[in-house]
Amino acid sequence: MAGLTGRMSTVVKAKVSKLLDRAEDPAETLDYSYQKQVEQLQNVKKGIADVVTAKKRLQMQESGLQQNVVKLDTQARQALAAGNEALAKTALERKNVAQTELQSLDTQVTELEEQQQKLTDSEQKLRAKIEAFRTKKEVIKAQYSAAEAQVRISEAATGVGEQMADVGLAMQRAVDKTENMRARADAVSELEAAGTFEDITQLGSGEDDIDRQLKQLSSQPAVEDELAKMKSELGQGAAAPQISAPGGAAAAEGAQGEPAQAEQPGQSGGQG
Amino acid sequence: MIVRISGEGQYRLDDSDAQRLNELENDVVSIVEGGGEDGFAAAFATLLDYVREHGAELSDDELEPSDVILPPSDVSFEEAGREFTGEGLIPD
């Protein structure tokens, strides 16, 4: 039989064969084999449903974050107009985090859509093969002696089995990706639960844990740029007075000394 | 010779294509072994495109097992590294 001697295809083939070995019991009756194929088809459908559920959750988070971005932007403007630069800065930092999350969610939704499409295609392919197997089995039974039919049907079953194994691997990858995204979605939920994107005007004058974490997560230069832009739009000079929230302003200056800390590993919020 | 691209489908290729396929596959593996991601995506895409261009796709109702099975088109460099080098080659 033809084949490749290459390492990559050999490894992949071995993996599929292993799945096939596990799936096929020689003592299994051929009718049972068909029943198993149909069961596998149900699993694929369930896999697709899981991907769709994960996607919907991410999309809901996206629309929530979009509202937060608008709200925080408005609040930053209001704070700046009132001469409270520290509060404006805090709002912009939070907006920055929300925007980073939004971009990441967007990428993930796209990825899940691709997974969904692939699984749907695989499901159709598997369904066609199972149907072909069912028909072929009957034809073979009618044409050949029992022993010969057994051999030919089991060859056909191997062809279907390979498709099943392939769909199985695709499902496993989809599940892994969905799990990663679920963890990610949970992290966003935690940020929301901690009040990260809540009404900025409810904050006291002091800096809390969330603020300290956000300063590490958000990109300082981007925040500074946006703040400067907002100031010029409001017709304020660079030397705008800093009124309240002295704690926040001091910490912000401290954070400027270490710009490389913008993305901390282990911080659940800012990774892409 | 029947070649499957995982998650995509099966293609029937002439047996004489095997040598070129081997070369293309070895290109991918040596990049992965080198540890540098540069060129991985391009080399892997070249391999898959060769199969798609030189092969005829099997219809969905054909029940043929494959002679060659290649990873899915969206396999990442990290996944490839785990699968095809170092410990990945030692059977479970």
Side-chain angles (χ1 to χ4, degrees):
Chain A
M1 190 185 276
L4 297 189
T5 54
R7 195 181 272 187
M8 181 169 68
S9 49
T10 310
V11 172
V12 177
K13 189 143 202 268
K15 208 163 152 184
V16 170
S17 303
K18 218 165 125 183
L19 277 177
L20 268 177
D21 288 346
R22 206 183 300 158
E24 277 183 78
D25 179 355
E28 217 166 64
T29 70
L30 294 165
D31 285 327
Y32 180 55
S33 168
Y34 174 69
Q35 185 191 325
K36 264 178 67 174
Q37 292 167 8
V38 174
E39 275 171 23
Q40 172 73 3
L41 206 52
Q42 296 304 317
N43 282 337
V44 179
K45 276 187 184 163
K46 193 180 164 296
I48 295 172
D50 286 348
V51 171
V52 171
T53 307
K55 194 179 78 179
K56 279 191 181 147
R57 184 175 174 206
L58 291 180
Q59 282 171 330
M60 274 172 65
Q61 287 194 327
E62 265 193 316
S63 71
L65 279 174
Q66 269 155 0
Q67 289 171 8
N68 284 321
V69 166
V70 173
K71 187 180 71 190
L72 288 167
D73 186 84
T74 309
Q75 290 182 336
R77 271 168 213 282
Q78 287 167 347
L80 206 53
N84 190 343
E85 185 173 334
L87 195 59
K89 201 165 173 178
T90 307
L92 286 180
E93 274 159 3
R94 293 182 175 208
K95 181 187 159 193
N96 191 285
V97 172
Q99 276 175 324
T100 309
E101 288 299 332
L102 257 182
Q103 279 166 9
S104 153
L105 283 177
D106 210 40
T107 312
Q108 291 177 12
V109 168
T110 309
E111 249 183 70
L112 280 184
E113 258 158 17
E114 282 166 16
Q115 292 294 325
Q116 187 188 338
Q117 189 55 51
K118 275 193 176 176
L119 280 181
T120 307
D121 291 348
S122 297
E123 195 240 15
Q124 278 167 7
K125 210 159 258 188
L126 183 59
R127 181 188 298 277
K129 286 207 191 292
I130 289 172
E131 192 48 39
F133 175 78
R134 197 177 63 86
T135 314
K136 197 167 181 177
K137 191 164 60 114
E138 297 311 315
V139 173
I140 291 172
K141 272 186 192 166
Q143 279 182 345
Y144 297 94
S145 70
E148 177 74 5
Q150 182 85 18
V151 172
R152 283 172 184 267
I153 291 173
S154 105
E155 271 170 15
T158 307
V160 182
E162 188 186 297
Q163 186 70 35
M164 278 168 47
D166 192 54
V167 174
L169 287 176
M171 284 240 300
Q172 190 52 55
R173 294 183 88 232
V175 166
D176 288 349
K177 283 194 180 176
T178 313
E179 286 294 317
N180 286 343
M181 289 175 193
R182 192 168 294 147
R184 177 76 192 192
D186 286 346
V188 175
S189 296
E190 274 172 34
L191 278 176
E192 281 174 341
T196 306
F197 308 118
E198 289 303 308
D199 195 342
I200 202 80
T201 56
Q202 300 301 308
L203 283 177
S205 60
E207 175 179 88
D208 56 14
D209 263 2
I210 300 173
D211 284 315
R212 274 185 287 274
Q213 284 177 32
L214 284 177
K215 288 213 169 63
Q216 291 185 318
L217 285 173
S218 67
S219 161
Q220 288 297 325
V223 170
E224 293 295 339
D225 285 353
E226 195 165 5
L227 192 64
K229 196 175 148 217
M230 220 173 241
K231 274 185 190 174
S232 73
E233 280 170 16
L234 288 166
Q236 294 182 3
Q242 299 195 357
I243 304 175
S244 71
E253 276 158 26
Q256 281 169 11
E258 35 185 329
Q261 301 291 311
E263 280 201 28
Q264 294 276 340
Q267 291 287 354
S268 52
Q271 308 294 312
Chain B
M1 175 173 62
I2 293 175
V3 179
R4 175 185 287 277
I5 299 175
S6 289
E8 184 173 321
Q10 292 170 292
Y11 297 84
R12 185 173 278 117
L13 276 84
D14 200 274
D15 283 355
S16 62
D17 283 322
Q19 197 191 337
R20 182 67 188 134
L21 269 184
N22 258 325
E23 288 166 9
L24 291 173
E25 185 184 335
N26 288 336
D27 287 349
V28 177
V29 173
S30 60
I31 289 171
V32 173
E33 281 180 337
E37 195 169 347
D38 279 2
F40 168 75
F44 188 56
T46 305
L47 171 65
L48 297 190
D49 283 343
Y50 185 89
V51 173
R52 292 177 190 127
E53 281 163 24
H54 290 76
E57 193 166 4
L58 263 66
S59 72
D60 287 349
D61 59 358
E62 287 185 79
L63 305 175
E64 304 271 346
S66 307
D67 302 302
V68 176
I69 302 178
L70 297 173
S73 58
D74 63 349
V75 75
S76 69
F77 180 70
E78 287 75 22
E79 282 177 295
R82 275 200 305 276
E83 299 279 334
F84 314 128
T85 64
E87 292 182 358
L89 281 178
I90 298 168
D92 292 341

